[in-house]
């Protein structure tokens, strides 16, 4: 967990090196999340992550991750309460899942 000026961000790393949940407090901005990623990467334990093909792959690429695989969006496995309208601009609300490997700072 990273805390700065009352704002918090957390990133979990599995024993296999997968970045799991990334969270932030409601008042926190993107900068603290990026700082938390840097702290997580500095542990040397980060190997890979995945995310929906929205703005996430571009953000993760800037942190040193490279796309290595893609899984077509399957509505059967979408998160509970998935909002197709909110993600309409990303493949009509059905963004693929992109798997990314950490390759080092760009």
């Amino acid at each position: 967990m990273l805390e700065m000026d009352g704002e918090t961000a957390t990133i979990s790393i599995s024993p296999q090196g997968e970045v799991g949940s990334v969270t932030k407090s409601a008042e926190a901005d993107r900068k603290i999340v990026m700082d938390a990623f840097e702290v997580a990467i500095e542990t040397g334990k980060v190997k890979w992550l995945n995310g929906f093909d929205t703005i996430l792959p571009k953000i993760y690429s800037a942190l040193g991750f490279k796309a290595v695989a893609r899984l077509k969006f399957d509505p059967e496995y979408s998160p509970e309460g998935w909002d197709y309208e909110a993600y309409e601009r990303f493949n009509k609300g059905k963004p693929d899942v992109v798997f990314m490997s950490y390759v080092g700072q760009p």
Side-chain angles (χ1 to χ4, degrees), residues 31-73:
K31 182 180 178 338
I32 193 169
V33 175
M34 300 304 276
D35 290 346
F37 257 104
E38 287 183 27
V39 170
I41 288 167
E42 287 173 0
T43 67
K45 296 178 181 180
V46 171
K47 305 260 188 272
W48 65 285
L49 54 70
N50 67 71
F52 286 108
D53 194 6
T54 57
I55 61 170
L56 296 176
K58 183 176 181 179
I59 293 169
Y60 295 154
S61 290
L63 291 165
F65 291 87
K66 178 182 175 183
V68 295
R70 174 179 297 271
L71 182 63
K72 184 174 174 54
F73 184 92

Side-chain angles (χ1 to χ4, degrees), residues 52 73-84 87:
F52 286 108
F73 184 92
D74 186 341
E76 183 178 343
Y77 299 104
S78 64
E80 187 175 326
W82 181 258
D83 188 343
Y84 291 90
Y87 295 98

